């Protein structure tokens, strides 16, 4: 397959509020270096894809307010490779915008869509799967996703049920399901029929634009109006004017759950979506009592299953704490039970109501 037709769209517009207080509106988690490697999650994502396809074929879609930050993070990309959303409308409009833009550059493009804030531990396996996927969609009108073989009953991820029917050696998708409760997650895990939904998608630009026209016509209608405008100096004004008319809807709900040409590759490349403190705890180095500490010094007494994240050089002494998040950033300290971390979004909303935007 000619890799000049391979493109990547990196979605980088989110706030990552479940990772508050590390992830703040001024500097969301995709711009943070979680592991002290000197590379942010976004930079690691770009590094990963420039080994697979030409760097000039990488596009980042982000919010207008992160334009400058994104340019600083990835100076090797030209400004024309940063597509700016005037407001947040979830993943379907984001993917539609990038797809129509790329279609105007290369109507034979095959596209991999990736979040900016995921962790991949096995880079070589990842590259092999992406190359296989790009080759497959070059020859099949299929909406392809990557499903991760689960190693535990996880309630923080969506799931994909595999169909026995295949296209070539790749399974069709039977159904997408939202994040389950623990009992359902155990059933999914034990059945062997379900995969974690990685949020990684691969398709030809022709196939995804057809899918928008067939399944999410209100979005397609908006972007079809700009077919002579993309890549011209009128594009930004068109997007600024039209974007607010898009519904706020995810690609999963808007397209993948409705379409009848969806397949999944079963993959294992050390994936984590780093969506929550719990997922960060899972992949962090831990002591014999499963305590993890990031970028700080810690002494634990009678404590287990905690994650502690303080500014570099700070010392924490933790006694009698089990299964907690302790995170300090600037003028904020969060102490929260790890199994209650889904409430962090609510904490942030309450803080905004009481104290304004100072701590968001």
């Amino acid at each position: 397959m000619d890799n000049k037709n391979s493109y990547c769209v990196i979605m980088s517009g989110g706030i990552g509020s479940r990772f508050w207080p590390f992830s703040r509106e001024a500097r969301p988690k995709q711009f943070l270096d979680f592991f002290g490697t000197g590379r942010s999650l976004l930079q690691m994502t770009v590094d990963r894809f420039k080994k697979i396809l030409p760097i000039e074929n990488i596009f980042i879609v982000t919010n207008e307010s992160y334009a400058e930050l994104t340019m600083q993070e990835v100076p090797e990309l030209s400004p024309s490779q940063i597509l700016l959303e005037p407001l947040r409308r979830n993943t379907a409009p984001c993917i539609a915008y990038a797809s129509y833009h790329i279609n105007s550059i290369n109507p034979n493009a095959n596209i991999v869509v990736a979040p900016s804030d995921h962790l991949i531990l096995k880079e070589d396996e990842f590259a092999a799967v992406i190359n296989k996927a790009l080759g497959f969609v070059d020859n099949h009108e299929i909406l392809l996703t990557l499903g991760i073989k689960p190693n535990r009953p996880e309630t923080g991820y969506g799931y994909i049920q595999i169909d026995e029917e295949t296209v070539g050696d790749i399974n069709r998708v039977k159904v997408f399901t939202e994040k389950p409760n623990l009992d359902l997650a155990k059933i999914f895990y034990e059945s062997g029929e379900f995969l974690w939904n990685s949020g990684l998608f691969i398709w030809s630009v022709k196939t995804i634009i057809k899918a928008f026209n067939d399944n999410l016509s209100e979005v397609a209608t908006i972007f079809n109006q700009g077919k002579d405008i993309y890549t011209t100096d009128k594009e930004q004004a068109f997007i600024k004017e039209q974007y607010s008319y898009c519904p706020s809807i995810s690609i999963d709900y808007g397209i993948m759950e409705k379409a009848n040409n969806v397949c999944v590759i079963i993959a294992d490349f050390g994936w984590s979506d780093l969506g929550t403190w719990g997922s960060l705890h899972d992949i962090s180095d831990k002591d014999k009592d499963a305590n993890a500490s990031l970028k700080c010094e810690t002494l634990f007494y009678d404590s287990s299953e905690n994650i502690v994240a303080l500014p570099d050089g700070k010392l924490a002494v933790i006694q009698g704490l089990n299964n907690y998040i302790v995170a300090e950033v600037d003028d904020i300290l969060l102490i929260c039970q790890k199994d209650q971390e889904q409430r962090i979004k609510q904490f942030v909303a309450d803080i905004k109501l009481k104290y304004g935007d100072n701590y968001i």
Side-chain angles (χ1 to χ4, degrees), residues 151-193:
N151 56 20
R152 62 183 184 276
E154 170 63 57
T155 59
Y157 300 150
Y159 283 73
I160 299 167
Q161 188 176 16
I162 313 162
D163 200 312
E164 288 175 11
E165 189 187 335
T166 62
V167 178
D169 63 341
I170 292 175
N171 293 79
R172 285 192 179 273
V173 168
K174 191 177 282 185
V175 71
F176 285 84
T177 71
E178 300 298 316
K179 295 169 186 174
N181 61 31
L182 187 56
D183 290 341
L184 201 51
K186 284 176 180 169
I187 293 167
F188 287 176
Y189 175 59
E190 286 159 13
S191 77
E193 290 179 22

Side-chain angles (χ1 to χ4, degrees), residues 61-92:
V61 188
T62 190
N63 191 273
E64 275 179 358
S65 54
Y66 304 136
E68 198 174 318
L69 198 48
T70 304
M71 308 255 195
Q72 289 168 6
E73 289 272 301
V74 285
E76 65 267 46
L77 268 58
S78 76
S80 64
Q81 291 170 265
I82 318 279
L83 304 181
L84 300 176
E85 298 177 289
L87 64 173
R88 292 182 179 88
R89 281 293 184 263
N90 213 319
T91 53

Side-chain angles (χ1 to χ4, degrees), residues 21-22 33-34 277 280 292-300 307-318 325-330 332-335:
F22 260 38
D33 171 13
F34 275 91
W277 286 103
L280 185 56
S293 55
L294 300 180
K295 296 186 178 181
C296 60
E297 305 301 328
T298 43
L299 285 174
F300 291 100
I307 181 163
V308 178
L310 308 177
D312 197 9
K314 275 214 170 186
L315 167 68
V317 180
I318 307 285
I325 302 158
V326 179
E328 182 190 346
V329 178
D330 300 329
I332 300 166
L333 173 65
L334 170 73
I335 301 171

